[in-house]
Amino acid sequence: MKSLKYILTIAVGLALFFSCVTQQPYKKQDELAVFSSEDFNWQALTGKAVYVNARGSAPANIKEEVYTIPAIQQLEEAKALMPESLAELTQHFLNQLLEQYPELTEHQKEMLNADAKCGMRVLSKKTDPKYFSLVHHKLQKAFLYLRDTKGIQTGYAFVGNIAKKNVGGQKGYIINMANGELVEIDISSAWKGVGFENDSGQTPLGYFLVYKDYHQKGWQSKTITTDPKHIFYKLHRQTYDGEAMYIYRKSTKIEKAYICSNQFGLIGQNFGSEYVDLSAPDYLRKSPEEVCYIDNSNSGKRQLYIHGSNRVDQLGFALSGGCVRISNINSFIIKEIVAKQGTMPVFLDAVPFHEPKPVKVPGFDDTDLESIYNTQSIVIRKQNLLDSVSLLKNLYANVLPELANSLAYRMSKVDKQHANVDIYVTVPFPESAMKYWLTLHQNNENENILFQQHFGFRGEYYKNVNRTSHNPFFKAYKSEEINHYFSNRISDTKNALHADLSKALTKYELDTVLLSSVEINDQTLIDDHFNVLQDTLDPLEYFSISNERKRVLHYMEMIDSLTQSKPEVFTEWEHLEWVEKYIPFRGNMVSASEDNGVDYNDAVLMQAYIYALGEEELYKRRVKAGELVSVKGQLFQDKLWNEYGMKDTMKMMDEAGLWVLFQYSHSSENKTLMKMVSVAYPKDEMLYGMIMLAEAYYSKYKWKANQYIISSEVDGEALSLAD
């Protein structure tokens, strides 16, 4: 009997032991193994070191005053524990603050001393190993996405946990992508939660980039930064408008919420086709299929930022209008990172760290948001804009009633109401016109050019589509037909919006006489690449082209220029020898080689496609190798020319471009049924097939230029509902 009890005791003990083992939540070593134990070096990453004095050269009395400010003391304590690469940038900010401190107003100094917030917590194996491992475990999917999927293995990134405060969220992490060390700060995301729709007031999830310089036209989120002497300055309509009265919520009747100090535009990099592995489905209690196919590409149009705030008392709580708020001091550390790297990767997820706990939320009302009175926009992208029936059906049933309701709601929140609505339309520049780009660009001849899309957004070929159905997207248009079509569609939209707005004003008990204070305008969003042709080719105001496809036009112009300025390269550069026999046909739209029917435009277009593909591939290879490349397009081409010289760079692009085209021809993405058997065959023998493959490859970027944009702005004096 005793032996039986002894056996049972051992069995129970073993069961408890193994149950404890299986309940271990994570293995620290596995999750941290992807990171190195070493910090990176700015000189190796960017080519420039950071040179800073230990405490600047400010007078002793200035140093004493600045370093007794509580928030600056917190920053100094954090700096002592940071990786050296981040400590250098932090010291650079502190030196600037010391130098410019005498220029601060007394009010700025008072806010800096009494109300400014830093709240940094440096996490590493040395400073707080237990919590450091917990954060890596909880945010493992975000960190792995940045390192493995995007190949970012050096420099700094920002990861935000936008779960609510009561489960341990509303924290941001500046992460060293080399060694995994973290700096935790308080953030504030949308009070309306997670979401991706225009005018939703919600914060999106996924992968974003912050650019130091971003030149995309339209309402893209712009990164705007300033010097420490303008700390607490508020941004209004994308310009600085004096210092904030308070940096905490005093009263919305006195001062509403503003973006302060620095703002960093969040440009979404997920377009709906990629499965992004997130922890958010568990937090949102939804299936991964509902959440993880993210499309955050409208974040720029929605004017979403990481930014400093005059509501630092609300940091740590989900109380923003959709942006990610941070403290003003921490915004200057982000500024230093972006300035040094050129870009900063950002990943937002929603991850509960613990079971819900009760929290006390600071004062808040839903009129106290940065985004209520700013410009807002609705962007239709994934629709055939040349199909008037389906376009107007969507506008009338879904878009315009929602827009009218939003306008009326915003007008009900302001006094002295006035509203502007601007309508812009662009469709992708068609492949048929790309062939004759040089003719358009140099001679302004368009009478014999048909504007016809060869491929749809999913790579479908127009001849295959037209065999089974008539799709207006693939119709061949004359220039005047494009102009007439879109003029009529915009006129239809204006009339319908006017009718919907009348109903919405009545709904919010506003006098319909306010219709006279709403201006509805049709605007021209002219692509920079087509500006030169506007006087002679009217329909180009309705065409746009993605940055990726612009590079093809750029290389067409470059090759054509070489035929005049450096004709010898077509005999000296082996990969360009095949073009030489077509140069006599330059400037003639009709004449072609008698051997194969290929004309000059065909030859230049094909070689331009190869160069553009090669440039894109060389950029991707550098990113995968762990280099944080902050320049793309022309700046990247210039960078390669400086490193290798023009001849070797173009040879590298040619080889890489042919390799990409060969790989694409054998991939499942290729729907043309054309395949390259070798990259060694003479290019002119494969020319038409290669052009078709290149057009199919670049069709995945065409949707970026397919946009029906309705931008609205309500102006007036804010009314507060509650304090």
Side-chain angles (χ1 to χ4, degrees), residues 273-291:
S273 58
E274 173 192 6
Y275 181 90
V276 181
D277 194 13
L278 297 162
S279 297
D282 292 335
Y283 172 73
L284 299 172
R285 298 181 180 179
K286 294 182 178 180
S287 69
E289 288 72 22
E290 291 179 272
V291 178

Side-chain angles (χ1 to χ4, degrees), residues 320-527:
S320 85
C323 294
V324 176
R325 297 174 178 173
I326 58 177
S327 78
N328 295 280
I329 287 178
N330 293 340
S331 78
F332 280 97
I333 306 306
I334 299 292
K335 173 200 167 185
E336 293 289 335
I337 293 171
V338 174
K340 190 65 180 172
Q341 295 182 172
T343 60
M344 183 180 71
V346 175
F347 195 93
L348 300 180
D349 200 352
V351 188
F353 272 40
H354 52 67
E355 292 298 316
K357 298 178 181 178
V359 295
K360 186 177 180 180
V361 180
F364 169 77
D365 69 76
D366 64 2
T367 66
D368 187 29
L369 298 170
E370 299 90 335
S371 61
I372 285 181
Y373 311 108
N374 288 347
T375 298
Q376 299 184 20
S377 59
I378 296 172
V379 184
I380 303 173
R381 283 193 187 278
K382 298 179 180 179
Q383 182 168 355
N384 181 355
L385 302 183
L386 290 166
D387 184 346
S388 60
V389 175
S390 65
L391 173 63
L392 294 178
K393 182 179 179 181
N394 184 26
L395 286 170
Y396 293 168
N398 304 314
V399 176
L400 298 182
E402 178 185 336
L403 172 61
N405 191 70
S406 174
L407 278 168
Y409 170 75
R410 283 181 278 157
M411 291 178 77
S412 72
K413 296 292 186 288
V414 297
D415 194 12
K416 301 178 182 178
Q417 300 101 327
H418 181 79
N420 285 299
V421 178
D422 294 324
I423 303 171
Y424 305 75
V425 185
T426 64
V427 290
F429 193 57
E431 290 87 354
S432 67
M434 289 186 73
K435 172 179 175 177
Y436 297 110
W437 172 246
L438 296 176
T439 304
L440 289 169
H441 187 62
Q442 296 165 357
N443 304 324
N444 299 322
E445 296 178 9
N446 67 292
E447 290 183 3
N448 298 318
I449 295 177
L450 292 176
F451 293 85
Q452 184 172 30
Q453 308 288 345
H454 289 174
F455 286 89
F457 304 144
R458 299 180 181 86
E460 59 272 36
Y461 186 44
Y462 78 108
K463 288 185 178 179
N464 295 336
V465 173
N466 288 340
R467 286 193 190 101
T468 57
S469 64
H470 174 71
N471 189 327
F473 183 78
F474 296 111
K475 179 183 173 183
Y477 293 92
K478 291 279 191 176
S479 60
E480 60 271 14
E481 291 178 307
I482 292 286
N483 202 335
H484 180 72
Y485 172 83
F486 281 117
S487 296
N488 287 342
R489 296 296 76 74
I490 291 175
S491 179
D492 293 339
T493 300
K494 291 165 68 173
N495 293 334
L497 178 58
H498 195 275
D500 287 333
L501 190 54
S502 178
K503 298 176 185 176
L505 290 172
T506 302
K507 173 184 174 182
Y508 286 99
E509 299 180 350
L510 296 173
D511 195 328
T512 53
V513 72
L514 286 174
L515 281 171
S516 62
S517 65
V518 180
E519 296 183 20
I520 305 176
N521 310 299
D522 54 310
Q523 300 287 334
T524 300
L525 187 64
I526 302 174
D527 195 294

